[in-house]
Amino acid sequence: MVLKTDDSSQSDIPQMEIAPAGCESEGGHAYTLGPLQEGSYCCIPEPVIQVKALSLSYGTKRALNAVTLDIYRGCITALIGPSGCGKTSFLSTINRLTDIIPECRVDGTIYFEDKNIFDVSCNVQQLRKQIGMVFQKPTPFPLSIQRNIALPLREHGVSQRAEIEVISERVLRDVGLWNEVCDRLDAPALSLSGGQQQRLCIARALALDPEILLMDEPCSALDPIASSVVEDLISRLSGRYTIVIVTHNLAQARRIANYAAFFWVQERERIGHLVEFGHCRDIFETPVHPLTAAYVSGARG
Amino acid sequence: MIWWKHNISFRPAFTDRWLCWLLRAGAITAALIMVLILLFLLLEYWPAFQKISPVRFFTDDAWYPLEDQYNLLPMVTGTLYASSGALLLAIPLGIASALFMAFYAPHFIAVVYRRLIELLAGIPSVVFGFWGLTTLLPIINQWEPPGASLLAAILILTLMILPTLALTSYVALTAVPKEYMQAATVLGLSRWGIIYGVVLPAARKGIVAGGLLAAGRAVGETMAVLMVAGNVVQHADSLLAPIRTLTANIALEMAYAMGDHRAVLFVSGLLLLFLVMALTSLAGLLGKEHHG
Amino acid sequence: MVKQDIPMRKLGHPLRDRLVQTAIYLVVLCVSGVFLWILLDLIIGGSALLSWRFLTDVPRDAGRAGGIGSILVSTLLILSITLLVALPVGWSTAILLAEFVPAMSPFGRWVRYSLQVLAGVPSIVFGLFGHAFFSIYLGLGFSILSGGLTLACMLLPILVSTAETGLRAIPDSYRLSAAALGMSRAATLLHLLLPLAAPAWAAGLLLGIGRAAAETAALLFTSGYVDRMPESLMDSGRVLALHIYDLSMNVPGGDASAYASALVLILLLLAINIVAMRLTHFWQHKKLHIR
C-alpha cells in the first residue's frame, strides 16, 4: 500500500508496503468507513479497471487510438491533455455511455471485476450503478432536491421511503450539502448555486454506492470558490471510491491525483492517443516522453 | 450501509425493448395513413379510368355529369381565381399586420393584436361562411345582385388565410438577427429603410413559405366558399359572377353521385391533393433552407 | 421586437416613412375592425336564442325550433373517439421519432415525410378517404365511429409535430445524466421527459381539439347529417359545425338558430383554450417543484 502524501521528498517509496495500522480491511480492500475524515487514507495499487487496446471512432473518423492502462482501486487517476484528444470520450467508454452516443463505435476491451464490459452478457444498468459519472456542467434534474436523489434509487429497487431518506441524508452529508439544504429538501434543485448543484450531482451518483466515480472536468464550469470546495470534496472521497477525473487544470491534477494519464492528439490526423501513464509525481517531475515534459511545463498544449 | 445487504434487483432492459416495439407500431400506423389515402382514392377512380381518359377533364363540352360530360375546367379556374384573389389581398395585409406587431406597435398593443389574430385563426370555416352568407352577401347584393359571387369568395378566403399569414410572417420577421438591424441603424437608415432594405429581404424565405402554406389552405378550403360563391358551374367573366370551386363541387355532388360521376369526383379530389401537396412541399423546402 | 428597437430618424425619407406608417396603421385598423365586426355580429345575433334550454333540447322543425342538445352529444362523441384513437398513435409516434430513432434513419424519414404530406391534405379529401375507407370498405356506414376515425387521421400530423417538438426541446444533458445513473429509457421517459414535455403536449392537444371541433367537410360523408340523439356509436350524428352549415344553407328561416349555434361553437373553442392553458400551468407547477 502506498501512502500518498503531498510531500514530494518521498519519491523513492516502493510500490508495495505493509498497511499501516488504522486502516480497516474488508474483504482485502482497505477503505475508510463511516464519515469522511481528513488526513491519511489508504490506496492499494490493485487494478480495478483494466483497459486494453481501446479505440473509439465517430462514424468513420477515428477519435482515439489503442489506449491501454489500469485504473487502481481507491486512487484518483487524472486524465490530462489538451482539448480534443479524446479524454472525455475515453471516460464515456468506461461506463458504456458511448452506447447512446450516435455513430460511436468502440473497439478493444475493458475489464471490470474480471469481466469484459463490452460483452453481450454485461448488464449495463448494473454497470452504471457501480460506475457513477459526474459531468462538466452540473445537471440536476428539474425536480426537487429530494427527488433528484430518490429517482435513481427507486429505479434501482430501493423503494422504502425511510431507506431513501437515510441514504439521502448520508450522501448529502458526505458532499457537505446537508447543512445547507436540510430544511428545504423540497425546493427545486435548480434553485441551488452552481457549486451546490455540482455537489448535488455528486451526491446523486454516490447514493447508488458505486465503486468508481468518473468525473468529466467537474470544476471547470464553476467559479473559483465553488471549484475549490468541489475539489476538496473529491480528494476526501478518494480511498473510499476509485476516481477517474478528466481535468485541464494541471495544478489541480498535481494537487489531488495519485496517477496521471497524459493524452495527446496527433497534429495531422487528429486522432487521440495515450502518451504516458504513471504515478502523478513521476509524470510531473520525471516524465519519460518529451511531449509529456513539454505539456506539464506549459511549453505545449 | 443498510442496503448493501439487500438483493437489489435490477430492472432489466426488456421494458425498453417492449416499449420500442409498441412505439414502432404506432409510428407505422401513422405513416400508413398517407399510403391508404392515395390507395383508396385511386381505387375509387380505377373503374372509370378505362372509360374516361383524363384528357376529357379538360376537353369535354361542359360539366354535365348526368349526361357523361366531365369538363372540370370551370371548377379549376374557379379555384384558381378565388385562391389567387385571396392571396393577392391577404399577402400585403398579412405582412403589414406582421410589421405592425414586430416594429410599429407599442408592446401592449402588439400583444393585444396578436391575441386577436390568434383568436381569429381559430374561427371555424363554417362560421366565416355563415357570416359571409348573412352579412357580406346582402351588401354585395345591394351593389349588384346576386350577392353570391367570386368577389364574396375572395373576400371570405382572404379573411380566413390572413391570420396564419400574419403569424408566419411575424415569426419570420422576428427570426431576423438583431445584429442586422443594429448595423443598419448605425448606418443612419430610417425605420422603413431598415425594414425594406434589411429585414424583409432577410425574412423573405420564411414569408414566402408562409404564403405557400396559405395558398394551400385557400385551395383546399371547402365550406366557406361553398356558402358564399354561388356554385354555378361557369368560367367567371367578372368579379361578381358566381363560381364553383373544385372543393365545393365535391361537397355538393358527392351526396348523389353514382358510378362514373362518383369516380370523377374522386379524381378531382386526387387533383386537389396533388396540387396542395406540391404547394406544401415547396413551402417545406423553403422553410428548411430558411432555418438552415 | 418593439418600436423602441428601431429609433425614428429624422434623416432619410421622413415623408415615405410617414406614409408607410399610416398605411400600416390603416391596415391594422381595417383588419381589427372587420374581425370585431364578425365577433360582434355573432354575439348580437346569437345571444337572443342562447339559453340552457337551447343547449339541452333536441332540434325540432329541421332545427328552426328546439335546441342543439343532440348535436352537442354527437360532437362530444365524435371528438372522444378522435382523441381516443389519435392520442396513443400520435404520441407514441412522437416519442419514437424524438427518442428512439436516429434522425437520419430511413424509417424516421419515411414517417416524418408521410406526416408532413398528411398535414397538407385538404379536409374534403379526408372526407372522401373516410367515406371510401371507413364507411364503405370497413362497413361502418354513416356513423359517429366513421367520423371520429376520419378526424383522428386529420389530427395525427399536428399531434406528432407538437409532441416531438416538446420532447426535442428538452436538453440532452438530462438524458445523459439519467443514463449515467443507470436508469432505463422507459423510466427516464416516464419520470423525467414526459413531465417536462407535458405543457407542450397539452398545447398540441388543445390545438388538435380546436381543429377537430371546427371540422365540417371531412364529416359530411362520414358521420352524416342526422340530427337526432345518437344511441350508439354506429348511429349517424351531426356535429355543431355541420349544423350551422345546414341551418344557414338548407333551412330557410334557420338563421336565428344558426347564429346561436355559431356562438356556442366559438364559446366552446374559447373555453377549451382557457381550460387547457390553466391545466398546463397547474401541471407544470405540480410535477416539477413538489415531491
Side-chain angles (χ1 to χ4, degrees):
Chain A
M1 284 166 236
V2 176
L3 204 62
K4 179 198 179 271
T5 64
D6 290 310
D7 187 356
S8 54
S9 67
Q10 307 238 0
S11 55
D12 52 348
I13 293 182
Q15 291 272 15
M16 301 295 277
E17 275 191 351
I18 316 292
C23 268
E24 291 149 61
S25 239
E26 195 179 344
H29 315 302
Y31 291 144
T32 48
L33 302 172
L36 281 174
Q37 310 164 19
E38 291 274 11
S40 65
Y41 46 88
C42 313
C43 175
I44 310 179
E46 171 202 335
V48 61
I49 292 185
Q50 293 168 299
V51 181
K52 301 217 190 302
L54 188 79
S55 303
L56 195 143
S57 340
Y58 290 105
T60 50
K61 167 134 186 11
R62 176 151 279 211
L64 197 63
N65 214 358
V67 176
T68 300
L69 55 79
D70 291 341
I71 308 288
Y72 293 107
R73 185 183 298 280
C75 304
I76 301 184
T77 304
L79 308 180
I80 56 176
S83 43
C85 57
K87 311 190 294 292
T88 301
S89 309
F90 173 64
L91 203 70
S92 306
T93 58
I94 301 181
N95 68 347
R96 282 185 62 174
L97 207 62
T98 44
D99 284 3
I100 64 174
I101 297 179
E103 307 249 313
C104 185
R105 212 186 66 243
V106 179
D107 302 303
T109 52
I110 298 184
Y111 288 97
F112 173 61
E113 291 184 341
D114 300 320
K115 286 196 304 259
N116 181 6
I117 67 171
F118 293 110
D119 231 11
V120 191
S121 61
C122 172
N123 182 343
V124 178
Q125 276 170 284
Q126 184 69 3
L127 180 77
R128 293 188 185 142
K129 190 175 87 63
Q130 294 171 291
I131 304 181
M133 189 161 185
V134 175
F135 298 88
Q136 183 174 349
K137 187 169 167 307
T139 51
F141 296 139
L143 308 166
S144 67
I145 297 173
Q146 176 70 65
R147 224 166 112 71
N148 259 273
I149 302 179
L151 187 60
L153 277 178
R154 281 187 198 277
E155 262 315 286
H156 285 276
V158 181
S159 52
Q160 301 292 336
R161 172 103 147 234
E163 223 178 304
I164 293 181
E165 285 181 3
V166 166
I167 296 173
S168 304
E169 183 178 335
R170 176 174 65 80
V171 293
L172 284 173
R173 278 192 193 279
D174 281 352
V175 303
L177 260 185
W178 178 251
N179 290 333
E180 295 167 44
V181 303
C182 59
D183 53 346
R184 49 181 178 126
L185 287 173
D186 283 341
L190 293 173
S191 66
L192 298 173
S193 75
Q196 289 173 319
Q197 286 183 15
Q198 189 67 302
R199 281 185 282 153
L200 177 63
C201 292
I202 298 177
R204 187 176 60 186
L206 291 181
L208 299 178
D209 209 44
E211 290 181 46
I212 300 169
L213 266 181
L214 305 175
M215 299 184 144
D216 185 3
E217 299 191 51
C219 302
S220 62
L222 306 175
D223 64 82
I225 296 180
S227 175
S228 69
V229 171
V230 173
E231 189 184 302
D232 199 45
L233 166 63
I234 296 174
S235 53
R236 281 187 293 137
L237 286 176
S238 88
R240 216 161 75 159
Y241 303 94
T242 307
I243 298 181
V244 184
I245 176 169
V246 171
T247 179
H248 269 132
N249 189 340
L250 289 179
Q252 181 181 75
R254 230 180 152 137
R255 281 194 294 271
I256 62 176
N258 302 107
Y259 290 90
F262 172 57
F263 286 77
W264 187 253
V265 59
Q266 290 163 1
E267 295 287 332
R268 235 174 338 148
E269 298 102 3
R270 317 282 329 159
I271 303 178
H273 60 280
L274 177 67
V275 173
E276 195 173 334
F277 172 71
H279 250 282
C280 195
R281 227 173 10 246
D282 296 338
I283 294 277
F284 277 95
E285 281 157 29
T286 53
V288 171
H289 201 281
L291 261 180
T292 321
Y295 182 73
V296 302
S297 68
R300 295 202 45 200
Chain B
M1 298 285 204
I2 329 166
W3 55 297
W4 262 82
K5 312 268 189 335
H6 273 231
N7 183 18
I8 296 177
S9 59
F10 57 89
R11 271 174 220 167
F14 73 69
T15 45
D16 276 0
R17 214 166 299 157
W18 192 70
L19 182 70
C20 196
W21 279 112
L22 197 71
L23 295 179
R24 281 227 178 98
I28 293 179
T29 312
L32 275 180
I33 307 259
M34 195 60 230
V35 176
L36 279 175
I37 292 183
L38 284 169
L39 187 69
F40 272 84
L41 286 181
L42 278 169
L43 274 176
E44 289 285 335
Y45 170 47
W46 195 246
F49 181 59
Q50 271 93 16
K51 282 190 277 169
I52 310 174
S53 94
V55 184
R56 285 183 55 188
F57 295 143
F58 302 100
T59 54
D60 269 2
D61 290 335
W63 175 260
Y64 291 123
L66 299 171
E67 289 160 32
D68 203 33
Q69 298 293 315
Y70 298 116
N71 190 349
L72 280 175
L73 265 182
M75 269 76 77
V76 171
T77 56
T79 303
L80 267 162
Y81 289 161
S83 309
S84 321
L87 277 171
L88 235 72
L89 276 182
I91 289 179
L93 293 180
I95 296 183
S97 298
L99 286 173
F100 178 75
M101 288 190 281
F103 300 122
Y104 284 87
H107 183 65
F108 177 65
I109 298 189
V111 167
V112 165
Y113 189 60
R114 209 171 99 209
R115 290 274 178 270
L116 188 73
I117 298 271
E118 283 169 0
L119 195 77
L120 297 160
I123 292 187
S125 51
V126 255
V127 175
F128 275 117
F130 175 61
W131 179 79
L133 195 60
T134 53
T135 314
L136 205 60
L137 290 196
I139 296 179
I140 302 181
N141 193 22
Q142 284 191 339
W143 186 9
E144 181 169 323
S149 56
L150 176 61
L151 179 66
I154 289 179
L155 289 175
I156 291 291
L157 273 181
T158 307
L159 284 179
M160 290 185 65
I161 63 178
L162 182 57
T164 35
L165 247 177
L167 289 172
T168 50
S169 303
Y170 176 69
V171 168
L173 287 174
T174 49
V176 174
K178 274 216 176 124
E179 291 81 42
Y180 292 10
M181 292 180 271
Q182 281 169 356
T185 314
V186 160
L187 287 167
L189 293 178
S190 67
R191 179 157 60 184
W192 175 244
I194 298 175
I195 293 175
Y196 187 68
V198 175
V199 179
L200 281 180
R204 191 181 50 214
K205 282 222 179 79
I207 296 181
V208 172
L212 285 170
L213 281 173
R217 172 117 195 256
V219 164
E221 181 48 49
T222 314
M223 300 316 292
V225 280
L226 180 55
M227 291 162 92
V228 302
N231 298 318
V232 175
V233 181
Q234 63 174 11
H235 291 277
D237 48 4
S238 86
L239 267 183
L240 291 161
I243 52 133
R244 186 190 285 199
T245 58
L246 270 175
T247 49
N249 192 41
I250 299 174
L252 283 168
E253 305 205 343
M254 210 28 217
Y256 57 83
M258 293 199 284
D260 289 349
H261 182 193
R262 202 181 134 93
V264 174
L265 286 180
F266 267 89
V267 90
S268 68
L270 260 173
L271 187 66
L272 261 174
L273 181 61
F274 289 144
L275 187 57
V276 174
M277 267 168 66
L279 285 168
T280 45
S281 301
L282 226 70
L285 270 170
L286 273 177
K288 229 185 295 196
E289 280 175 44
H290 177 72
H291 293 120
Chain C
M1 279 302 298
V2 268
K3 181 173 106 183
Q4 290 82 356
D5 282 315
I6 303 182
M8 283 282 281
R9 299 264 167 163
K10 291 289 193 252
L11 341 142
H13 310 264
L15 184 64
R16 179 191 70 180
D17 268 47
R18 272 253 170 262
L19 276 174
V20 168
Q21 188 173 0
T22 316
I24 290 185
Y25 283 173
L26 234 75
V27 164
V28 168
L29 240 68
C30 282
V31 170
S32 316
V34 168
F35 284 136
L36 280 171
W37 184 10
I38 299 180
L39 289 173
L40 273 170
D41 208 28
L42 281 176
I43 295 177
I44 295 176
S47 49
L49 223 54
L50 205 59
S51 67
W52 185 248
R53 280 201 55 198
F54 183 72
L55 292 175
T56 49
D57 266 358
V58 292
R60 291 188 296 273
D61 192 15
R64 291 189 200 90
I68 52 172
S70 54
I71 313 284
L72 288 176
V73 169
S74 298
T75 311
L76 196 69
L77 285 174
I78 291 182
L79 280 178
S80 310
I81 297 196
T82 302
L83 290 177
L84 224 70
V85 171
L87 286 182
V89 175
W91 281 350
S92 58
T93 307
I95 296 177
L96 191 87
L97 287 178
E99 305 290 323
F100 285 80
V101 157
M104 281 296 120
S105 86
F107 179 66
R109 273 203 294 215
W110 172 55
V111 173
R112 259 202 206 91
Y113 182 65
S114 297
L115 286 170
Q116 200 184 328
V117 172
L118 202 67
V121 175
S123 46
I124 189 77
V125 176
F126 269 114
L128 284 176
F129 165 65
H131 181 73
F133 185 59
F134 295 117
S135 296
I136 297 187
Y137 186 71
L138 291 184
L140 297 174
F142 283 95
S143 63
I144 290 181
L145 196 59
S146 176
L149 290 171
T150 309
L151 279 189
C153 299
M154 282 193 76
L155 283 201
L156 275 177
I158 196 167
L159 282 177
V160 172
S161 92
T162 50
E164 195 190 340
T165 309
L167 279 174
R168 281 195 188 279
I170 302 173
D172 261 345
S173 54
Y174 291 137
R175 294 183 184 86
L176 282 175
S177 298
L181 288 164
M183 289 174 65
S184 67
R185 286 195 117 145
T188 313
L189 205 66
L190 196 62
H191 295 293
L192 205 57
L193 299 177
L194 290 185
L196 274 175
W201 283 33
L205 173 64
L206 143 82
L207 211 62
I209 294 180
R211 209 165 279 197
E215 195 42 58
T216 320
L219 295 172
L220 277 173
F221 314 117
T222 50
S223 64
Y225 256 82
V226 171
D227 60 2
R228 275 191 320 269
M229 183 74 77
E231 305 195 347
S232 84
L233 291 178
M234 298 300 287
D235 272 352
S236 161
R238 183 191 285 196
V239 287
L240 197 52
L242 223 155
H243 191 56
I244 300 172
Y245 165 68
D246 190 56
L247 282 176
S248 54
M249 290 285 281
N250 302 338
V251 176
D255 273 5
S257 291
Y259 264 113
S261 308
L263 190 60
V264 170
L265 185 58
I266 299 278
L267 289 175
L268 220 70
L269 290 174
L270 200 68
I272 294 176
N273 215 308
I274 296 179
V275 166
M277 237 183 270
R278 282 264 173 87
L279 191 95
T280 63
H281 193 256
F282 171 70
W283 194 339
Q284 201 171 11
H285 186 76
K286 176 174 184 265
K287 268 272 178 180
L288 299 185
H289 294 316
I290 317 201
R291 201 180 279 240

